[in-house]
Amino acid sequence: MLHAVIMAGGSGTRFWPESRAAWPKQLLPLSGTRSLIQDTVDRLGQLVPPERILIVTAARLVEAVRGQLPELPAAAVIGEPCKRDTAPCIGLAAFRISRGDSDATLAVMPADHAILPAQALRDAIHCAADLVDRQPERIVTFGIKATYPAESFGYIERGEPVELPVEPASGAACLAFEVARFKEKPPAAVAREYLASGNFYWNSGIFVWKARTILAALEQHQSELFGRLRAIAAADGTSEFQATFEREFAAIRGISIDYAIMERAPDVVVIEAPFTWDDVGSWQAMARLRGVDTQNNTIAADPHIAVNTSGTILRSVDRHLIAAVGLKDMIVVHTPDATLVASRHDEEAIRQVVKQLEERGWTEYL
């Protein structure tokens, strides 16, 4: 059966001051009225029922996630005791799901992406699951057609076409290719070469595979990590589970699934995503998700006044008035206890703000 695994442990520091440790970006309504994690569950629709959805998040966020998703059973949310990147997260989920379904197929996705239309994603997952069912050792990922030479994304180089065994119910066509290689985030000149070639996709971080296939790959390539996850799985349902979980998970060396498995796996297929995708990585995403007015401003503030202001993102909560005068290409975000004023051209420096807050011990703002 098809199961969904949603990775929801990120901290979203580039969305400070609205994203905080106790309420990070995946819990925020950045692209509409629903939070990013709610949107992620919503877009699965009828493809995966609530009892086959598993969310892996940070232990401190478990109750908040359950509160936002009351339609899911409480056991559908697992809280990691510490952050250890995506490979341990995915392995943990694969062990948990395979206990009840030894032939489970997993659709793995982050909780903080914006994807439209939802039906196109469901069609693509359907295609991927069918490819995996016919060849269980296969790993399928989704590539996003590059539209500009991005330096902040990993890339996938496509190889020979792969024949899709079925057409989605909607009649939409899916294109699949062998993966020639994965490439890390490139410098600008290399990214321009990738874009010009037409053979490279952005790596979406969305995957479909058999639970047993990814566990076998972890056992082969990450034996220590696999052993600790196996110890956690063996204690599941016993009085020793929590202590074992905390001890063994903390001992894992964090590693991404790309480094751990994807770059080593022998049979990887990429499906060209038939949907629009945004990784919602920073405040710049607000303009893409919410659009702009005639002055190229993105407004998520009610009320607001903008005078001689252009190319600026304004965001506030609780009907706090923002009045912007003479601003150009700025980001202004107001929250009850902190306000960010930043240049859109220096957005990465927001991480430095968070770092300085940590260094100064101003944890009430984190």
Side-chain angles (χ1 to χ4, degrees):
M1 290 186 291
L2 180 64
H3 299 250
V5 175
I6 299 174
M7 301 178 289
S11 56
T13 55
R14 285 185 292 178
F15 279 94
W16 187 90
E18 195 166 351
S19 179
R20 304 290 180 95
W23 206 262
K25 72 169 180 175
Q26 58 268 33
L27 300 179
L28 300 174
L30 295 172
S31 62
T33 59
R34 300 271 281 172
S35 72
L36 293 177
I37 194 170
Q38 288 172 324
D39 282 345
T40 302
V41 172
D42 290 347
R43 72 174 63 101
L44 290 170
Q46 300 301 310
L47 183 68
V48 182
E51 64 271 18
R52 296 208 303 270
I53 296 174
L54 184 64
I55 297 175
V56 185
T57 187
R60 69 180 185 280
L61 301 178
V62 167
E63 292 308 315
V65 171
R66 287 174 176 164
Q68 287 205 350
L69 298 167
E71 68 272 26
L72 301 186
V77 185
I78 301 176
E80 296 174 326
C82 52
K83 187 176 180 179
R84 288 295 182 266
D85 217 322
T86 54
C89 166
I90 290 168
L92 181 69
F95 265 115
R96 173 66 66 91
I97 292 170
S98 61
R99 284 183 61 195
D101 182 1
S102 60
D103 193 40
T105 298
L106 310 183
V108 181
M109 63 201 73
D112 55 359
H113 290 175
I115 293 173
L116 288 172
Q119 184 60 52
L121 172 68
R122 294 192 289 269
D123 288 343
I125 292 175
H126 176 80
C127 288
D130 204 61
L131 282 170
V132 168
D133 284 343
R134 290 171 181 262
Q135 195 164 323
E137 297 78 21
R138 175 175 281 158
I139 288 174
V140 181
T141 187
F142 297 89
I144 310 300
K145 291 184 71 173
T147 55
Y148 64 94
E151 301 172 62
S152 57
F153 300 143
Y155 284 74
I156 301 170
E157 183 179 9
R158 74 185 190 191
E160 294 300 313
V162 173
E163 183 179 354
L164 288 166
V166 295
E167 191 174 83
S170 68
C174 286
L175 300 175
F177 302 87
E178 296 174 357
V179 169
R181 55 180 173 163
F182 289 88
K183 302 297 289 185
E184 299 306 316
K185 298 174 183 178
V190 176
R192 287 193 292 270
E193 292 176 5
Y194 291 170
L195 182 65
S197 78
N199 289 325
F200 287 82
Y201 297 110
W202 293 333
N203 188 346
S204 70
I206 305 172
F207 313 102
V208 174
W209 47 44
K210 290 288 185 183
R212 66 174 183 267
T213 297
I214 203 65
L215 289 174
L218 287 171
E219 184 175 22
Q220 178 183 358
H221 299 295
Q222 303 291 329
S223 57
E224 182 179 353
L225 185 158
F226 177 85
R228 296 193 182 281
L229 292 177
R230 181 170 54 186
I232 294 168
D236 205 353
T238 73
S239 59
E240 298 298 316
F241 173 70
Q242 194 58 38
T244 303
F245 189 11
E246 293 177 3
R247 180 184 67 250
E248 296 294 331
F249 204 81
I252 290 173
R253 179 178 63 87
I255 185 171
S256 73
I257 196 67
D258 291 324
Y259 282 124
I261 300 300
M262 299 302 290
E263 296 179 2
R264 307 178 185 212
D267 188 2
V268 185
V269 169
V270 58
I271 289 179
E272 183 178 296
F275 45 81
T276 63
W277 170 92
D278 197 299
D279 74 334
V280 196
S282 67
W283 284 116
Q284 296 276 19
M286 295 290 290
R288 298 190 296 270
L289 298 174
R290 292 179 176 258
V292 297
D293 63 15
T294 57
Q295 299 303 311
N296 206 33
N297 296 316
T298 297
I299 309 298
D302 182 22
H304 78 280
I305 296 172
V307 178
N308 298 328
T309 292
S310 63
T312 292
I313 296 169
L314 302 179
R315 181 161 173 99
S316 69
V317 297
D318 299 331
R319 292 195 56 80
H320 179 92
L321 170 67
I322 289 185
V325 179
L327 300 185
K328 183 178 180 179
D329 296 341
M330 299 293 289
I331 301 167
V332 181
V333 182
H334 172 271
T335 69
D337 65 345
T339 300
L340 170 72
V341 181
S343 167
R344 287 183 67 164
H345 304 297
D346 195 22
E347 193 181 22
E348 283 296 319
I350 295 174
R351 292 180 185 269
Q352 295 300 314
V353 173
V354 174
K355 182 179 179 181
Q356 288 198 31
L357 290 173
E358 292 171 345
E359 291 172 349
R360 299 181 188 194
W362 295 356
T363 55
E364 68 269 30
Y365 300 109
L366 294 171

